[in-house]
Amino acid sequence: MSKQDGRVDLGLTSVQECWSPLVGEPLDESRAAELSRVFKAMGDPVRLRLLSLIASHAGGEACVCDLTDVFELTGPTISHHLKVLREAGLITGERRGTWVYYRVLPEALGRLSEVLTPATVSELSIPAPAQGDAVVGT
Amino acid sequence: MSKQDGRVDLGLTSVQECWSPLVGEPLDESRAAELSRVFKAMGDPVRLRLLSLIASHAGGEACVCDLTDVFELTGPTISHHLKVLREAGLITGERRGTWVYYRVLPEALGRLSEVLTPATVSELSIPAPAQGDAVVGT
DNA sequence: ATCTTGCTTCGACATACGTCTATATTTACA
DNA sequence: TGTAAATATAGACGTATGTCGAAGCAAGAT
């Protein structure tokens, strides 16, 4: 994907460290399984909104009652979705008194964005290492 | 989620543009539906590997025959998964002669990473706008 | 023309998933 | 102790999804 066609040539030969895991080299079976579990958890509109509601809630956390009201779904259904997000490692829940508070695990989102971001570092508005090119680690 | 707790305060008051859509404000129903369709497409190990294989293949594209060999799955199944990725807007296919070549749509990955990245910009190694803070557009 | 090869579509099937109601569990409070 | 409120779990049910084999469609080869 470098020299012989019309696309950007970053002048890198040992490129792997610079590219995302996704586009740099074929994902191996186990990493794909691992990653797909997280994406699958986000592959439902209700769960995405839950994630977003939790993340954007004041204090970075939200109790289940805050979340249940937003949807026209029963408690058990919300509880189920929260469990899926929890088991995907995207959120964590803590009981305080009668209520259970959920918050997003930032590392999880971070790892995910790592998978996607570098793929398009040249096309995005993210300030890429400017006279970069020489950045290749080792 | 800014001043009153122990977390990073970027000194921003009108913060939305700086945060990802996901953590900045609750995702509205239609955007969540839209996004979740893409995540759902990536929520399968085979499809993730297909995406990765296409992206990392020489020339940035791969023909279906290149992909089929990698898996112990029948042609129709691979074809089905490619269709899902296509309909999610993640890849595009072009017929040249007998073969069909697929390539990843970089904007799609870009948009996705936009959703995730800024959420953790402070914890990642991505060079964030340095004396930034003033970056808030309008 | 007909055959072959590469890929897609169709139809069927088993399993996974989202939702519900009913029931359990945990904690607070009278 | 008992009752009420907030979540979670269990079980059931319909729909969606991943997989396959068989059949269809293009495009080159004979």
Side-chain angles (χ1 to χ4, degrees):
Chain A
M1 80 201 324
S2 42
K3 321 262 180 196
Q4 62 274 47
D5 59 11
R7 266 186 312 287
V8 263
D9 180 5
L10 294 175
L12 297 164
T13 52
S14 160
V15 136
Q16 281 76 358
E17 286 104 330
C18 180
W19 296 90
S20 79
L22 221 172
V23 312
E25 55 186 338
L27 233 42
D28 68 279
E29 215 166 329
S30 69
R31 181 117 179 77
E34 190 185 327
L35 262 177
S36 69
R37 252 178 285 122
V38 184
F39 283 127
K40 185 185 294 195
M42 298 203 293
D44 178 279
V46 174
R47 286 197 292 267
L48 258 193
R49 290 178 69 197
L50 282 171
L51 201 59
S52 178
L53 280 166
I54 296 168
S56 63
H57 199 270
E61 65 182 13
C63 89
V64 180
C65 56
D66 292 327
L67 305 169
T68 307
D69 298 345
V70 178
F71 302 89
E72 300 199 331
L73 293 169
T74 63
T77 298
I78 298 298
S79 203
H80 161 70
H81 285 305
L82 289 171
K83 186 181 191 176
V84 173
L85 290 171
R86 221 186 314 128
E87 289 177 342
L90 285 166
I91 61 175
T92 181
E94 182 200 354
R95 164 155 237 146
R96 289 207 296 278
T98 312
W99 298 274
V100 175
Y101 293 89
Y102 281 96
R103 48 177 63 240
V104 171
L105 292 171
E107 323 83 68
L109 292 185
R111 276 195 300 273
L112 271 195
S113 69
E114 267 176 30
V115 171
L116 266 8
T117 304
T120 49
V121 75
S122 51
E123 291 100 14
L124 284 180
S125 58
I126 296 170
Q131 54 282 81
D133 297 22
V135 177
V136 214
T138 71
Chain B
M1 78 196 327
S2 44
K3 320 264 178 190
Q4 63 277 44
D5 58 10
R7 266 186 310 291
V8 262
D9 180 3
L10 295 175
L12 299 163
T13 52
S14 161
V15 136
Q16 281 76 356
E17 287 104 330
C18 180
W19 296 91
S20 78
L22 221 171
V23 314
E25 54 187 340
L27 233 43
D28 67 282
E29 218 166 329
S30 68
R31 181 117 179 78
E34 190 186 327
L35 262 177
S36 69
R37 256 180 281 121
V38 184
F39 283 127
K40 185 186 291 198
M42 298 203 292
D44 177 281
V46 174
R47 286 197 291 267
L48 258 193
R49 290 178 69 198
L50 282 170
L51 201 59
S52 178
L53 279 165
I54 295 168
S56 62
H57 199 271
E61 64 181 13
C63 89
V64 179
C65 57
D66 292 327
L67 304 169
T68 308
D69 299 345
V70 178
F71 302 89
E72 300 199 332
L73 292 171
T74 64
T77 298
I78 298 298
S79 203
H80 161 70
H81 284 306
L82 289 171
K83 184 182 193 176
V84 173
L85 289 171
R86 217 184 320 125
E87 289 179 340
L90 285 165
I91 61 175
T92 182
E94 181 200 355
R95 164 156 237 146
R96 288 208 295 279
T98 312
W99 296 275
V100 175
Y101 293 88
Y102 280 97
R103 52 176 59 243
V104 171
L105 292 171
E107 324 83 68
L109 292 186
R111 276 194 300 272
L112 271 195
S113 70
E114 265 176 31
V115 171
L116 266 8
T117 305
T120 49
V121 75
S122 51
E123 290 101 15
L124 287 180
S125 57
I126 295 168
Q131 54 283 82
D133 297 20
V135 176
V136 211
T138 73

